[in-house]
């Protein structure tokens, strides 16, 4: 069995039932949960992992109006919390934003690509920034981390297929990793305009980010170091990781989704 939102393969029947039982239980208070009334804009950076979500969140959080959450919270993940509990957590974030004089809260958890509908139920003022990246580069990066090709391909397909469901939403902006790394200032200006803010020179500052102000673990420790450096183009890195045969197989699996995202097939 597979749980798509978690991209977990070969899940035991007991764990599969437990996951969906928790989701059902946590949905019980949903009918009584009203959206959080606030003037603060909540922004969520999401998309398939290894597509530039951390880089985007790190740079946007350099803006003086934006309060960035310095870790992946997963607070909106399906089955983890009821909407009432999520609302209580977001209310605390809202308090700190107001206290420190920020008008926008920004959180980055790639898997929140599956949580768009939940956000609409609990927040009236929200926006999503969805990061996408060439499938070969993304899957090669995932493969270096996990070492399971089928898992990496499935994750790219599942996450990006879910992202495509949000294409026509007014509060969703799609940003390509290639645009961010090759034209960072232009891309960040466009993104900030979507959020309602002017560009600031501090956006592209290096070294200090929200991710080196808190303790990071595992893969985020690597990302912490990467996003503190100057942005550089990073295209076709897959050629150092994958064989030609592997790339052909990957494209045979992802071709349809890749075309819909505007990537070569």
């Amino acid at each position: 069995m597979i749980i798509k939102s978690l991209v977990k393969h070969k899940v035991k029947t007991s764990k599969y039932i437990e996951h969906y039982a928790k989701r059902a239980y946590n949905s019980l208070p949903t009918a009584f949960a009203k959206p959080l009334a606030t003037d603060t804009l909540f922004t969520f950076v999401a998309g398939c992992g290894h597509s530039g979500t951390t880089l985007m969140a790190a740079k946007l959080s350099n803006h003086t109006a934006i309060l960035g959450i310095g870790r992946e919270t997963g607070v909106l993940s399906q089955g983890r919390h009821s909407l009432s509990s999520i609302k209580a957590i977001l209310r605390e974030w809202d308090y700190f934003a107001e206290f420190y004089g920020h008008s926008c809260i920004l959180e980055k958890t790639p898997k929140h690509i599956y949580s768009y509908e939940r956000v609409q139920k609990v927040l009236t003022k929200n926006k999503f920034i969805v990061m996408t990246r060439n499938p070969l580069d993304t899957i090669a990066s995932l493969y270096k981390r996990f070492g399971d090709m089928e898992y990496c391909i499935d994750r790219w397909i599942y996450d990006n297929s879910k992202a495509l469901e949000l294409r026509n939403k007014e509060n969703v902006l799609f940003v390509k990793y290639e645009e961010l790394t090759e034209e960072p200032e232009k891309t960040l200006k466009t993104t900030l305009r979507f959020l309602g803010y002017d560009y600031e020179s501090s956006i592209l500052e290096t070294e200090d980010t929200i991710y080196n102000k808190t303790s990071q673990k595992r893969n985020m420790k690597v990302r912490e170091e990467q996003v503190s450096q100057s942005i550089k183009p990073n295209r076709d890195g897959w050629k150092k990781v994958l064989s030609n045969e592997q790339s052909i197989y990957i494209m045979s699996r992802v071709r349809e989704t890749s075309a819909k995202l505007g990537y070569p097939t």
Side-chain angles (χ1 to χ4, degrees), residues 56 173 175 179-194 199 203-204 231:
M56 175 62 83
L173 177 70
V175 179
E179 295 171 343
L180 177 58
T181 55
E182 292 169 16
E183 296 184 289
E185 184 172 330
K186 177 182 177 181
T187 303
L188 288 164
K189 282 181 177 178
T190 300
T191 306
L192 284 164
R193 194 178 305 119
F194 167 72
Y199 182 82
I203 295 296
L204 287 174
I231 298 178

Side-chain angles (χ1 to χ4, degrees), residues 36-100:
L36 180 65
T38 176
D39 292 327
T40 304
L41 172 64
F42 282 76
T43 300
F44 300 93
V45 181
C48 182
H50 295 238
S51 294
T53 54
T54 306
L55 179 60
M56 175 62 83
K59 297 309 176 186
L60 289 178
S61 295
N62 284 336
H63 196 284
T64 54
I66 298 175
L67 174 63
I69 307 298
R71 67 184 184 90
E72 294 182 2
T73 67
V75 67
L76 295 158
S77 298
Q78 298 177 4
R80 179 168 292 187
H81 301 291
S82 68
L83 292 187
S84 297
S85 297
I86 292 172
K87 182 178 176 181
I89 294 169
L90 298 181
R91 187 183 292 112
E92 289 302 302
W93 292 2
D94 186 37
Y95 165 79
F96 284 109
E98 182 179 359
F99 182 84
Y100 288 108

Side-chain angles (χ1 to χ4, degrees), residues 3-9 111 151 154-155 158-159:
I3 300 176
K4 286 189 176 182
S5 62
L6 301 179
V7 196
K8 287 189 175 181
H9 292 220
K111 284 299 179 186
Y151 164 83
D154 284 348
R155 178 170 178 179
Y158 294 159
D159 292 358

